[in-house]
């Protein structure tokens, strides 16, 4: 885990996102080994790191391909993998054309769909480009954000995709984003999800449709993915860095957190408080999923401090319970609640190698929100 030791002083300006490379390596290797032992493909979600360097590391560790949130991210990530899933409903003509353009250039492009309208627009774009786009039917398994609501609806949509000559029906997509229970309490819900998917597979088979890919997974459920026996690939994102969401929910330890924000204490004028130079424009306003009143992150050097309030450029720390108080000009490191949006706020991060040296690395798909 990164700490603001002498190597951190190589960072001239704060706030600065620092990524500990040895921790990243351990996180990536651990998931790769787990997936291999359960014969699961890994298609990590790059929305967390938005970095070609990190994507290449994941591919080198055995990732089948990569997942992106938007077409813009996919365009960047073609430099790391030519096998990409855009895990987002692509329904507007602009993004449909961009996916078709990548497919025409030889990228194996897949996306998800939960509406016939979206399917028709994808098909039109692919046909106009003279290419083929793969599509996974998005099935809602409990998060209630996107996805068709039943196996019967999934079959109807699959038949619509299969009827389009410019589309390729590749399988089923699901996201168990509602599962945040402790690892040893996830079994019943993951078993229910497995049963729902089994019903879909059976319906498709009886209708003459094949299910080549069943794509699911999340960081909270990553190491229980084998309990959804029918899935073929998993798409965790946060696991590569981790954050206070995954720590406080019990899915990792502080030592598994590769990302910290190095900050400078700029004020101690108010009794019982210290102010750092990182506010919502650095740490975001996301509260912790499991413990929303725990503050806006964890201060590594002052574990008894609480990041009680953020404004745009100020982070207010309640240090009244700290035996030792922060000093003006002191550097501290904060593990954010939700690392993914924090990364997207940075043009670059500092990668800390095992020998303590730092390298500035671009956040390659930063701001690619369309």
């Amino acid at each position: 885990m990164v700490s603001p030791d002498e190597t951190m002083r190589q960072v001239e300006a704060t706030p600065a996102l620092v990524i500990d490379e040895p921790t990243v390596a351990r996180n990536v290797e651990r998931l790769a080994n787990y997936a291999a032992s359960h014969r699961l493909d890994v298609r990590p979600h790059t929305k967390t790191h938005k970095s070609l360097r990190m994507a290449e590391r994941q591919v080198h560790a055995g990732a089948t391909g990569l997942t992106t949130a938007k077409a813009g991210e996919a365009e960047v990530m073609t430099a790391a993998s030519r096998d990409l899933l855009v895990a987002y409903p692509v329904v507007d003509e602009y993004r449909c054309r961009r996916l078709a353009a990548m497919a025409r250039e030889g990228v194996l492009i897949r996306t998800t769909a939960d509406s016939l309208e979206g399917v028709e627009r994808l098909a039109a774009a692919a046909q106009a480009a003279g290419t083929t786009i793969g599509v996974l039917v998005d099935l809602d398994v409990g998060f209630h954000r996107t996805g068709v609501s039943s196996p019967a609806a999934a079959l109807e949509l699959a038949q619509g995709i299969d009827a389009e000559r410019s589309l390729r029906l590749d399988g089923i997509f699901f996201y168990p984003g509602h599962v945040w229970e402790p690892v040893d309490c996830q079994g019943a819900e993951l078993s229910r999800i497995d049963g729902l998917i089994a019903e879909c597979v059976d319906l498709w088979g009886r209708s003459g449709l094949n299910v080549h890919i069943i794509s699911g997974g999340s960081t909270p459920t990553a190491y229980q993915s084998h309990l959804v026996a029918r899935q073929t690939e998993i798409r965790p994102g946060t696991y590569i860095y981790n954050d206070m969401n995954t720590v406080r929910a019990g899915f990792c330890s502080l030592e598994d957190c590769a990302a910290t924000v190095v900050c400078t204490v700029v004020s101690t004028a108010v009794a019982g408080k210290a102010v750092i130079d990182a506010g919502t424009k650095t740490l975001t306003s996301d509260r912790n999923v499991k413990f929303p009143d725990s503050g806006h992150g964890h201060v590594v050097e002052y574990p008894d401090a609480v990041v009680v309030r953020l404004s745009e450029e100020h982070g207010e720390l309640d240090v009244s319970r700290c035996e030792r108080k922060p000093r003006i000009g002191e550097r501290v490191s904060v593990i954010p609640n939700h690392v993914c949006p924090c990364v997207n706020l940075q043009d670059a991060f500092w990668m800390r190698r095992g020998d303590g040296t730092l390298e500035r690395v671009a956040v390659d798909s930063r701001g690619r929100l369309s």
Side-chain angles (χ1 to χ4, degrees):
M1 183 177 61
V2 176
S3 62
D5 54 19
E6 289 304 313
T7 62
M8 292 302 98
R9 304 191 186 285
Q10 298 176 59
V11 179
E12 183 177 9
T14 63
L17 177 66
V18 178
I19 303 298
D20 187 58
E21 187 176 33
T23 305
V24 166
R26 290 196 304 272
N27 292 343
V28 170
E29 182 180 13
R30 181 188 175 207
L31 185 75
N33 290 340
Y34 164 81
S37 70
H38 292 282
R39 298 183 179 179
L40 285 164
D41 290 333
V42 178
R43 185 182 294 277
H45 208 314
T46 64
K47 70 181 179 67
T48 296
H49 56 70
K50 289 179 167 280
S51 161
L52 287 171
R53 180 78 65 89
M54 295 302 170
E56 288 162 357
R57 179 184 289 274
Q58 291 169 317
V59 170
H60 182 72
T64 303
L66 299 172
T67 302
T68 71
K70 299 289 184 64
E73 285 184 4
E75 289 166 343
V76 172
M77 290 300 155
T78 57
S81 175
R82 305 293 282 181
D83 187 339
L84 300 175
L85 168 65
V86 179
Y88 196 85
V90 179
V91 300
D92 57 291
E93 292 182 8
Y94 178 63
R95 276 185 278 212
C96 289
R97 288 198 305 269
R98 290 163 74 185
L99 263 60
M102 283 184 278
R104 187 179 59 230
E105 293 166 3
V107 180
L108 181 56
I109 281 285
R110 294 184 178 92
T111 189
T112 68
D114 66 0
S115 69
L116 283 173
E117 292 88 348
V119 166
E120 290 166 359
R121 291 170 185 176
L122 278 169
Q127 183 175 1
T131 190
T132 302
I133 296 174
V135 183
L136 303 176
V137 173
D138 184 357
L139 174 68
D140 177 17
V141 296
F143 191 52
H144 304 321
R145 182 175 64 187
T146 64
V148 296
S149 61
S150 68
L155 173 62
E156 181 181 359
L157 186 57
Q159 290 170 328
I161 295 166
D162 192 54
E164 297 285 356
R165 287 182 296 176
S166 59
L167 300 181
R168 184 184 61 252
L169 177 63
D170 281 345
I172 297 169
F173 171 99
F174 70 98
Y175 175 54
H178 60 296
V179 182
W180 277 81
E181 289 79 18
V183 168
D184 57 0
C185 297
Q186 293 180 3
E189 180 60 10
L190 294 180
S191 178
R192 183 193 67 81
I193 292 170
D194 191 44
L196 192 63
I197 292 168
E199 187 178 347
C200 275
V201 172
D202 180 61
L203 275 177
W204 288 28
R206 286 191 277 117
S207 299
L209 300 176
N210 294 319
V211 183
H212 302 292
I213 297 171
I214 300 176
S215 178
S218 65
T219 292
T221 63
Y223 292 98
Q224 300 299 305
S225 298
H226 58 281
L227 298 180
V228 185
R230 289 163 181 81
Q231 70 182 325
T232 63
E233 71 174 29
I234 55 176
R235 311 180 312 274
T238 305
Y239 83 99
I240 189 171
Y241 291 163
N242 287 307
D243 53 23
M244 289 312 295
N245 278 337
T246 52
V247 169
R248 293 194 188 279
F251 304 126
C252 71
S253 66
L254 287 173
E255 288 69 28
D256 299 317
C257 291
T260 58
V261 178
V262 176
C263 313
T264 298
V265 176
V266 297
S267 176
T268 58
V270 177
K273 275 192 176 181
V275 178
I276 55 176
D277 58 352
T280 58
K281 288 182 176 178
T282 301
L283 296 172
T284 82
S285 57
D286 283 21
R287 291 189 173 273
N288 191 271
V289 171
K290 296 292 285 185
F291 299 94
D293 295 327
S294 62
H296 296 277
H298 172 75
V299 185
V300 175
E301 297 74 23
Y302 295 91
D304 291 326
V306 181
V307 187
V308 289
R309 186 168 64 177
L310 300 178
S311 45
E312 291 185 46
E313 304 291 358
H314 300 76
E316 299 177 32
L317 278 57
D318 179 346
V319 297
S320 59
R321 292 183 295 175
C322 299
E323 291 185 10
R324 178 176 62 89
K325 301 296 191 290
R327 306 180 311 277
I328 291 288
E330 181 180 355
R331 287 190 169 180
V332 298
S333 49
V334 178
I335 301 174
N337 281 334
H338 188 186
V339 70
C340 306
C342 293
V343 170
N344 189 59
L345 292 170
Q346 302 291 329
D347 290 325
F349 60 88
W350 291 99
M351 186 160 64
R352 181 180 186 268
R353 301 189 185 95
D355 63 3
T357 59
L358 298 181
E359 176 188 1
R360 192 175 189 273
V361 180
V363 180
D364 300 285
S365 60
R366 179 248 194 276
R368 298 295 185 108
L369 304 178
S370 64

